[in-house]
Amino acid sequence: MHTVILVLVEVLIVIALSRLVGLAFKSIKQPLVIGEIVAGIMLGPSLFGLLAPNVAASIFPPETVPFLHVLSQVGLIFFMFLIGLELNPKYLSSQLDVAILTSHTSILVPFSLGTLLSLLLYPLVSNASVSFTAFALFLGAAMSITAFPVLARIITENNLQGTRLGTLALTCAAVDDVTAWCLLAVAIAVARTGNIIGALPTIVESLVYIGFMLTVGRWFLQRLATHYRRTRRLSQLLLAGIYIAVVASALITELIGIHLIFGAFLLGAAMPKNADLVRELAVKTEDFVLIFLLPIFFAYSGLRTQIGLLNRPELWLLCAAVLAVAIAGKYIGTYAAARFNGISKREASALGWLMNTRGLTELIVLNIGLELGVISPLLFTMLVIMALVTTFMTSPLLEWTYPKKLIKLDVVEPAPETHTSFTTTTTGEVYVRPYRILVPVANPSTQKGLLQLAVALALNYRQPAIVNPLSLIELEENYGFENTPDEAERFILQRRQQLEELISTLEPPSTQPFVHPIVQISSNVARQTAEIAKIESADLILVGWHRPAFSKNRLGGRVGQILSTVPVDVAVFVDKGGDRLESLLVPYSANIHDDLALTLALRLLINHDTCTLQILQVLQEHQAQDELSYELHTMIKQLPASVRDRININIIRSSEPIPAVITASESVDLTIAGTSRAWGIERQTLGRYTDALAIQCRSSLLITRRYSQLTSHLTSALADLSHQESTIKH
């Protein structure tokens, strides 16, 4: 009983630490799986055992390791079933001729280099009980692996699934997956029998079983899919039958002499790819596997990773050689084959870095090699370091080689052209860059008022303007089914349809053609909003207010992150209801954020001929009147008389500015206030402030934060107005 309790304590520690470290790595734009692998290594002799050896020995004693091993093997069986389940034949239909050559070259080159490297490593890190053939095959396979689940996640997270690069990478990785697992099966057969000749019966039996599963097994599974289509539900009995088949298939491949994981992978690959069946089966299976069982596998691997074995400079040099061969082999093989097929240098380079992703798949291969005794603990540690480094470097090198601003130029089906209108300045120069407002929309069903305000701010038919409703779909897990490119595309299509329905309700209908939604996958909404604002050259981000779940700060959470980080002017809309925009109120205390508030109010004034503006200055006793900034004063002077006549400046004396603004807001449709202590609003996400204005304001409220020059909001409109007025006079 003591051992069982200890194992449960270990499981608690493993799951908690893997989540924490995984989220930390996710925050630095790394796959969550890398953090989970690092968490496993931290619990082993490389860190925990080094810092507190006695505590580590008491928490992870040798008698509990077999229990962790059993749990990790169960996790691997069902994880490999999920990989096979999610390996869609669709991936093998796109650019297949290019993918087969590229993928096989990306296996052949690192495999050959790994075999050459084994000539150096075999006498140094192996022993006589292991045949050179088995050693070379395993090292070559370890160098050749690409982690399909992690690569698919990176493609999804970078919104590459609709690009030529993304579709080619997925096809290459799918071909690579099938080929590499076959190669590994041969390596295992050779390792267990000692030579190629002895492994032939195992290889023949494996081929017979594969043929059986892809014919008879697939026929039976098709009957299962037919039953599912008829009942539209995956019952517990049916699920139990599938799980029995997974375990039985795993046992058969183990008895054949390859490994448990191949049977589970094969059954998943043979499953009919009915979208609804695959989705429900994956969702019901993966949560327990990914959250509970796989972290135990990482911990088990971490207990066997001993970085302390690399205790001499020459061993670190050998580790560097392993890393260099792994990176160079994959990258050069992929790049050369891609260039031979006519792919551009930039795309070929990006494809090379993507195929270098090894992640969890590599860890599975290494654990098999260590269990069979083909690779030593020292080489195991070197190869774990290689797996981590090659996966860790993929995202930054991909971003460096293939920056996000180029992704939209590479879509397979280009988005509709949005730059549809032009205007001409008084000098005759054509002004082609439209005024653009980016509107993050978290919930299309509740944010019509936000989008309607954006349209009112942007469109005046005097200058080109575009409103981009931005919907970023967060995928929280790292290699779950919902993160596959097909599922991501389904989510994007659903959200785009929701946004199109929202756009169709905007008034007047003539504004709808100027509203173009952007829907993407994201792992960090604030960061990606900033990136998109930069790529799209947005003039303003208009975001809806929401109450943060874990903060009293009304401008905290995601809104606070956007306010604090994006290099663009930002306005936060607190919608109190009401569709009218006839009367505006701007409390003015002469700071740059109030300047932005007044500028946006002027833009609304220009856009709507019936709109009026009240500028409210609340002064303390004996306080001099706040003067408008020179920039703002100059812009107001340029306004036509028809616009200036609708501006009223109201100065009142009061020691309490916020109640004065609240009282004034009772008679207007929209109050626009800069982030200012005078109005009880501070920009800092964690700043201490009272949000009385946000709570008590009687009208809807727009809170502004200025970043750039004000002229971007009014210059073109002012130029056009001046031109019209001079034309009328003459």
Side-chain angles (χ1 to χ4, degrees):
M1 189 63 183
H2 170 74
T3 304
V4 173
I5 291 172
L6 204 52
V7 170
L8 291 176
V9 170
E10 291 172 357
V11 169
L12 285 174
I13 294 170
V14 166
I15 294 174
L17 187 65
S18 68
R19 286 283 117 181
L20 287 173
V21 179
L23 290 173
F25 272 75
K26 189 177 175 183
S27 69
I28 57 171
K29 301 176 75 170
Q30 287 298 321
L32 186 139
V33 65
I34 296 298
E36 293 182 334
I37 294 172
V38 170
I41 293 172
M42 289 168 63
L43 290 171
S46 300
L47 184 64
F48 190 27
L50 184 66
L51 298 177
N54 294 331
V55 179
S58 61
I59 294 178
F60 293 96
E63 60 266 25
T64 64
V65 173
F67 292 89
L68 295 179
H69 177 59
V70 171
L71 288 172
S72 69
Q73 291 303 300
V74 173
L76 276 188
I77 288 171
F78 282 95
F79 179 70
M80 291 302 297
F81 167 67
L82 288 171
I83 290 181
L85 186 67
E86 294 163 12
L87 187 62
N88 197 322
K90 168 187 169 182
Y91 298 141
L92 299 175
S93 60
S94 175
Q95 307 177 71
L96 191 57
D97 51 344
V98 176
I100 288 176
L101 176 60
T102 304
S103 181
H104 285 164
T105 306
S106 76
I107 289 177
L108 182 62
V109 174
F111 184 87
S112 302
L113 292 177
T115 304
L116 290 174
L117 183 63
S118 64
L119 294 170
L120 170 66
L121 294 178
Y122 182 69
L124 298 175
V125 297
S126 189
N127 56 65
S129 64
V130 179
S131 71
F132 175 77
T133 304
F135 182 85
L137 280 172
F138 248 98
L139 189 60
M143 296 292 178
S144 308
I145 284 290
T146 293
F148 182 83
V150 181
L151 178 138
R153 168 66 192 213
I154 291 172
I155 285 174
T156 302
E157 202 168 81
N158 286 276
N159 291 282
L160 288 167
Q161 64 272 10
T163 66
R164 291 182 294 272
L165 172 63
T167 52
L168 179 59
L170 284 169
T171 307
C172 287
V175 174
D176 191 293
D177 228 25
V178 174
T179 306
W181 289 121
C182 293
L183 192 62
L184 181 62
V186 172
I188 292 171
V190 171
R192 284 180 165 168
T193 57
N195 54 69
I196 292 283
I197 303 299
L200 284 177
T202 302
I203 294 171
V204 171
E205 289 170 8
S206 301
L207 291 173
V208 170
Y209 183 62
I210 291 170
F212 173 82
M213 283 299 296
L214 295 180
T215 53
V216 177
R218 190 167 179 81
W219 176 86
F220 179 79
L221 293 171
Q222 286 284 6
R223 306 283 78 74
L224 181 150
T226 303
H227 173 74
Y228 176 83
R229 277 195 297 270
R230 188 169 59 250
T231 61
R232 305 305 299 168
R233 65 184 291 265
L234 188 61
S235 66
Q236 290 186 358
L237 181 62
L238 198 59
L239 190 62
I242 293 172
Y243 287 169
I244 289 170
V246 171
V247 175
S249 184
L251 286 172
I252 290 170
T253 52
E254 180 68 26
L255 291 173
I256 286 173
I258 39 179
H259 197 273
L260 290 162
I261 62 172
F262 291 99
F265 174 79
L266 188 56
L267 186 77
M271 283 288 295
K273 297 306 185 253
N274 176 288
D276 293 331
L277 172 61
V278 169
R279 183 178 303 111
E280 189 171 351
L281 182 55
V283 168
K284 286 189 173 182
T285 305
E286 67 183 14
D287 282 349
F288 184 69
V289 173
L290 300 183
I291 294 171
F292 188 88
L293 294 175
L294 268 189
I296 296 173
F297 170 70
F298 297 138
Y300 179 70
S301 302
L303 292 173
R304 309 201 303 174
T305 303
Q306 305 174 56
I307 295 177
L309 293 175
L310 298 172
N311 54 11
R312 300 196 307 275
E314 55 267 30
L315 293 179
W316 280 105
L317 282 175
L318 282 178
C319 184
V322 168
L323 182 61
V325 167
I327 295 172
K330 264 293 182 188
Y331 179 81
I332 293 171
T334 304
Y335 181 85
R339 291 291 293 140
F340 178 80
N341 281 291
I343 296 170
S344 69
K345 291 181 180 179
R346 187 184 293 276
E347 285 181 296
S349 183
L351 186 62
W353 297 130
L354 281 168
M355 296 297 286
N356 245 307
T357 305
R358 289 176 171 86
L360 172 57
T361 310
E362 179 77 10
L363 210 60
I364 294 171
V365 174
L366 300 183
N367 273 277
I368 293 172
L370 188 60
E371 284 172 16
L372 295 174
V374 178
I375 58 177
S376 64
L378 176 60
L379 183 57
F380 176 83
T381 300
M382 292 179 180
L383 292 171
V384 168
I385 292 172
M386 179 269 287
L388 285 171
V389 172
T390 52
T391 308
F392 191 91
M393 71 186 198
T394 299
S395 291
L397 285 174
L398 176 65
E399 174 64 25
W400 174 66
T401 307
Y402 196 76
K404 286 184 172 61
K405 65 183 179 182
L406 296 179
I407 291 176
K408 67 177 184 178
L409 304 178
D410 183 37
V411 289
V412 177
E413 296 179 2
E417 183 61 51
T418 57
H419 292 208
T420 55
S421 55
F422 303 88
T423 190
T424 306
T425 66
T426 52
T427 61
E429 180 186 356
V430 177
Y431 175 77
V432 295
R433 194 185 77 80
Y435 180 80
R436 189 183 296 264
I437 299 181
L438 197 64
V439 189
V441 177
N443 187 348
S445 64
T446 62
Q447 293 186 287
K448 179 183 177 181
L450 179 69
L451 197 55
Q452 194 72 62
L453 176 61
V455 168
L457 273 167
L459 301 177
N460 56 29
Y461 307 109
R462 297 185 180 93
Q463 68 173 126
I466 293 172
V467 174
N468 290 127
L470 171 66
S471 191
L472 297 178
I473 303 170
E474 282 193 286
L475 302 180
E476 295 181 359
E477 300 307 327
N478 190 55
Y479 30 74
F481 179 72
E482 70 169 17
N483 297 305
T484 59
D486 276 357
E487 280 297 284
E489 282 297 306
R490 186 175 70 86
F491 289 141
I492 288 172
L493 181 61
Q494 285 180 348
R495 186 64 58 84
R496 187 175 291 277
Q497 288 174 341
Q498 291 172 341
L499 288 174
E500 293 289 357
E501 289 172 6
L502 172 61
I503 292 167
S504 68
T505 66
L506 295 176
E507 296 292 341
S510 57
T511 62
Q512 296 171 15
F514 298 91
V515 184
H516 304 282
I518 298 173
V519 185
Q520 292 187 5
I521 301 298
S522 173
S523 60
N524 186 307
V525 168
R527 182 170 60 207
Q528 192 152 336
T529 299
E531 290 173 351
I532 292 171
K534 187 176 180 181
I535 291 169
E536 300 291 342
S537 302
D539 296 282
L540 178 71
I541 294 178
L542 180 62
V543 61
W545 170 84
H546 70 282
R547 182 192 295 276
F550 299 104
S551 172
K552 293 181 180 179
N553 189 332
R554 302 256 164 181
L555 298 184
R558 212 164 269 162
V559 172
Q561 292 171 8
I562 292 174
L563 277 170
S564 302
T565 59
V566 296
V568 178
D569 290 343
V570 179
V572 181
F573 184 47
V574 183
D575 190 356
K576 299 288 181 74
D579 300 326
R580 287 166 49 89
L581 272 178
E582 297 298 315
S583 54
L584 310 176
L585 171 67
V586 176
Y588 189 80
S589 64
N591 69 61
I592 61 170
H593 306 302
D594 284 350
D595 284 354
L596 175 60
L598 189 49
T599 305
L600 294 180
L602 292 175
R603 187 171 177 93
L604 284 170
L605 213 62
I606 292 169
N607 293 354
H608 303 276
D609 295 336
T610 59
C611 192
T612 61
L613 168 62
Q614 177 188 168
I615 302 174
L616 178 65
Q617 291 188 297
V618 184
L619 306 179
Q620 305 278 345
E621 288 296 325
H622 310 299
Q623 180 184 351
Q625 180 180 348
D626 294 320
E627 295 293 335
L628 299 180
S629 68
Y630 174 78
E631 186 179 15
L632 203 55
H633 184 71
T634 303
M635 282 193 288
I636 290 178
K637 282 179 64 178
Q638 295 178 35
L639 291 172
S642 60
V643 176
R644 290 199 305 269
D645 289 345
R646 288 182 276 127
I647 301 174
N648 177 43
I649 299 178
N650 186 15
I651 302 171
I652 63 174
R653 298 280 177 180
S654 174
S655 58
E656 296 292 337
I658 297 174
V661 175
I662 292 169
T663 300
S665 69
E666 293 179 356
S667 58
V668 299
D669 300 318
L670 177 66
T671 301
I672 310 177
T675 52
S676 163
R677 291 194 179 190
W679 318 127
I681 306 167
E682 290 189 44
R683 172 185 168 188
Q684 291 82 0
T685 305
L686 300 177
R688 295 177 59 194
Y689 65 89
T690 169
D691 50 9
L693 185 59
I695 299 170
Q696 299 176 32
C697 188
R698 300 293 185 263
S699 68
S700 293
L701 175 66
L702 191 64
I703 301 168
T704 59
R705 189 273 283 163
R706 177 179 169 184
Y707 176 85
S708 58
Q709 296 297 315
L710 296 178
T711 50
S712 63
H713 300 285
L714 284 179
T715 300
S716 300
L718 288 174
D720 192 78
L721 283 169
S722 301
H723 177 67
Q724 285 185 356
E725 193 170 70
S726 63
T727 303
I728 291 170
K729 287 180 180 178
H730 290 87

